[in-house]
Amino acid sequence: MQEILYLEVPTPDTAAVCNWLQQEFDPGIGEKIITPDGFRLLSPVTGTEVIKSGTQIANTQSALGNINSGKYNLKSTELSTFVWSVQRTTYLKVFRLEDAPAGERKFLESLHLALRNKFPDRYPEPPVIDLSKQSIFDALAPYYPLTVKYFQKMPKGEYDLKRVYWWEQRWREGTRNPQQPKQVIFLKEEGRRKKNPPLPFPRGEEARRTPPLPPPKGRRKKTLFWCLNPILILLFMT
């Protein structure tokens, strides 16, 4: 079993989605069998698919004759489609049993497109209210009763609900009339240069082109002395 499709359908009416899948949607492949939460598609394997799958039969005509006579047990591939609901949202999944049937990709694409056309995304506009004549609770109670109910239980529910309403209006206005956002971070180049002064030595390609500096003269003499010192000791001992 393999999951081949997972969709979120933006509607709380899961029964309507299930009924549409069972009664109106045409999968275009296989035999449609209704289930409590969706449907199953049974697609029998054809004789050509049996031969392509690696059945080693010398004579193709005899192979097709054996298939038609029922000598070979042909397995059926199955696609199981079902829906369920979580938090006022409907979800849909399609699972495949056995191998992929012919036309599977086309079926999935048509199902996805048909669902989007039948159950499109909908974001209704919040009502226009006048808070000088009524409270935010009284204004939104006919439209969002549960929202008002739970905000009334909060310590500052009225203030918080006003902020939510304000942010919703601002988001929609920004979506309809997009503008360049204001700059809130400024970079001072002078301060950056003081914090990160240039390095006293070259890096990268410049370092490969620059010849190495010669060692100090005193260091060269001192190194030569320490190299000759053991030789002089051996001469004096002999």
Side-chain angles (χ1 to χ4, degrees):
M1 180 181 293
Q2 181 181 358
E3 178 185 318
I4 57 176
L5 185 64
Y6 178 34
L7 294 177
E8 178 180 334
V9 186
T11 177
D13 195 351
T14 306
V17 178
C18 184
N19 183 71
W20 175 82
L21 288 171
Q22 296 172 346
Q23 305 299 329
E24 300 182 28
F25 175 69
D26 182 14
I29 60 172
E31 178 186 358
K32 189 175 183 181
I33 302 176
I34 304 301
T35 60
D37 299 319
F39 63 86
R40 296 162 54 202
L41 285 179
L42 295 181
S43 301
V45 181
T46 63
T48 305
E49 291 173 346
V50 171
I51 295 175
K52 290 182 178 179
S53 64
T55 305
Q56 297 180 356
I57 302 177
N59 191 349
T60 305
Q61 295 296 332
S62 63
L64 293 176
N66 292 331
I67 290 170
N68 294 330
S69 63
K71 183 176 180 180
Y72 295 104
N73 294 325
L74 303 183
K75 295 186 299 182
S76 297
T77 60
E78 178 180 336
L79 299 180
S80 178
T81 305
F82 59 93
V83 293
W84 76 99
S85 177
V86 176
Q87 295 182 353
R88 296 179 55 80
T89 302
T90 303
Y91 296 91
L92 177 143
K93 279 190 178 184
V94 180
F95 281 88
R96 179 209 300 148
L97 302 178
E98 303 297 341
D99 299 330
E104 177 186 281
R105 180 181 295 274
K106 186 178 180 180
F107 158 70
L108 296 177
E109 292 176 353
S110 62
L111 176 60
H112 192 180
L113 180 61
L115 277 171
R116 290 293 175 252
N117 293 333
K118 183 65 177 181
F119 305 97
D121 294 327
R122 295 177 180 176
Y123 303 100
E125 289 277 351
V128 179
I129 58 178
D130 186 3
L131 297 181
S132 62
K133 298 181 179 179
Q134 55 185 344
S135 67
I136 188 74
F137 293 142
D138 295 335
L140 297 182
Y143 305 95
Y144 310 103
L146 292 179
T147 300
V148 171
K149 175 183 176 181
Y150 290 109
F151 268 90
Q152 285 177 333
K153 297 180 180 180
M154 300 180 184
K156 298 181 180 179
E158 185 174 2
Y159 172 80
D160 293 336
L161 188 54
K162 287 182 181 179
R163 296 296 295 174
V164 170
Y165 180 83
W166 181 82
W167 276 110
E168 177 71 15
Q169 296 288 359
R170 182 176 179 182
W171 173 78
R172 290 180 179 274
E173 181 64 27
T175 303
R176 286 189 291 263
N177 303 311
Q179 299 178 359
Q180 184 69 22
K182 296 181 180 180
Q183 185 177 359
V184 294
I185 299 178
F186 300 90
L187 181 62
K188 294 183 179 180
E189 292 293 336
E190 297 181 358
R192 185 178 180 181
R193 292 175 183 175
K194 292 181 181 180
K195 292 182 180 179
N196 300 321
L199 298 175
F201 52 86
R203 297 185 302 179
E205 186 66 25
E206 187 179 353
R208 288 192 292 270
R209 297 178 181 177
T210 305
L213 297 176
K217 297 181 180 181
R219 183 178 179 183
R220 183 181 298 177
K221 293 181 180 180
K222 187 175 181 180
T223 305
L224 181 62
F225 171 78
W226 285 110
C227 292
L228 297 177
N229 193 23
I231 301 175
L232 296 176
I233 295 175
L234 292 176
L235 290 176
F236 282 116
M237 290 180 64
T238 56

